[in-house]
Amino acid sequence: MNVRVAIVDAPSSFRTSVARALQRDGGMDVATFDDTASFACAPLRRPFVIALVSMESVEALVSLSRLTRMAHYAHLVAWDSEPDPVDALAAIRRGADGVLDKHTSAAGLIRALNEIARGQCAFPRSLSSAIVEELQRMHRRSEAQARIALISRREREVLALLAAGWRNAAIAEELGISELTAKRHVHNIFEKLSVSTRAAAARLGRDAGDELPFPASAGRDDLMSSHDDPVPSGNGRHAVITR
């Protein structure tokens, strides 16, 4: 199988050096492009084309989505100088078959591209565990949001403050209610969410992130922020871990 690679990346000197390494050491057929528009217009219709698309452009994710539609024959691979799990999962959602680190050795890059051409996916070793952790965090967030949908808006406000470590008296003062009413809300939250401790309720609240209507006057510094929506955890391919 003759592996053809399209390097879609702006710095021409970088594209050229990578292309030479892939041609010299990997025996690959390499073409280089300034941007996705020029790649999309190229007559690259052979079945085993791999497009290496830089994630360092502000339009990277949009480009991946566009190429998924236009270059359905290609395996799309995102790469970055410092790939992180959030960006990696966003790239996968938009059709990427892998995410590679630009600091990967030539031998590691060639191995990864050959495996991708065979239908596998690839991630840097340093990123694989972080991707799993991010998927787990997204799953917890999705589950927490589904459970929190069972409680009223006022109870969500109470839960948001509880998740930030506030006690009943402070919650009551912040919301302009009596402490007895605050306690009643906390009790109702426990029952509806099927938890028995403030710690468990607080954990659910933090997992839910920005779904909770945290009172503006109180600030949100103690709450976890959210990222992307949950994505599928697998695409039916085996993962190749690069060095």
Side-chain angles (χ1 to χ4, degrees):
M1 179 178 65
N2 181 26
V3 178
R4 303 194 71 196
V5 180
I7 303 175
V8 186
D9 209 333
S12 58
S13 58
F14 179 75
R15 293 198 313 267
T16 301
S17 63
V18 173
R20 286 174 178 168
L22 295 180
Q23 291 167 334
R24 180 185 66 245
D25 301 329
M28 297 180 176
D29 184 358
V30 184
T32 63
F33 301 89
D34 292 336
D35 51 39
T36 55
S38 56
F39 169 71
C41 295
L44 299 175
R45 294 297 185 268
R46 292 175 60 174
F48 294 111
V49 171
I50 297 173
L52 274 169
V53 183
S54 175
M55 289 288 288
E56 293 170 348
S57 165
V58 294
E59 298 295 328
L61 293 179
V62 175
S63 297
L64 280 172
S65 297
R66 185 182 302 123
L67 288 176
T68 299
R69 295 191 300 269
M70 294 189 302
H72 55 85
Y73 57 90
H75 295 286
L76 302 180
V77 182
W79 65 346
D80 198 345
S81 295
E82 296 181 358
D84 66 67
V86 174
D87 287 343
L89 290 172
I92 292 168
R93 287 185 66 196
R94 288 160 176 80
D97 295 306
V99 178
L100 300 177
D101 191 328
K102 286 187 174 183
H103 299 299
T104 299
S105 66
L109 179 60
I110 291 168
R111 181 171 71 92
L113 295 180
N114 277 314
E115 295 298 334
I116 289 170
R118 297 188 186 102
Q120 298 188 19
C121 56
F123 305 95
R125 186 177 299 277
S126 59
L127 192 60
S128 58
S129 60
I131 288 176
V132 171
E133 290 174 2
E134 182 64 16
L135 283 170
Q136 292 172 339
R137 186 198 68 79
M138 289 180 172
H139 179 68
R140 290 195 305 270
R141 180 181 178 221
S142 179
E143 285 197 335
Q145 289 175 354
R147 293 175 69 180
I148 286 170
L150 301 174
I151 65 178
S152 68
R153 179 175 179 82
R154 174 59 92 185
E155 288 164 349
R156 293 182 195 183
E157 291 175 343
V158 172
L159 180 58
L161 294 169
L162 189 155
W166 292 41
R167 308 305 298 176
N168 290 346
I171 292 173
E173 181 179 356
E174 175 62 31
L175 298 180
I177 58 179
S178 69
E179 187 171 352
L180 180 60
T181 300
K183 289 180 180 178
R184 187 180 301 114
H185 283 314
V186 171
H187 175 75
N188 290 340
I189 289 169
F190 283 9
E191 284 197 338
K192 292 180 180 180
L193 298 183
S194 300
V195 298
S196 57
T197 66
R198 295 178 72 91
R203 186 162 51 249
L204 269 175
R206 289 191 294 269
D207 285 344
D210 287 342
E211 284 295 300
L212 292 178
F214 199 75
S217 60
R220 295 191 62 100
D221 292 343
D222 292 325
L223 289 185
M224 293 177 63
S225 60
S226 60
H227 295 290
D228 286 334
D229 291 333
V231 299
S233 58
N235 58 6
R237 297 192 177 99
H238 298 290
V240 177
I241 308 301
T242 62
R243 295 184 182 276

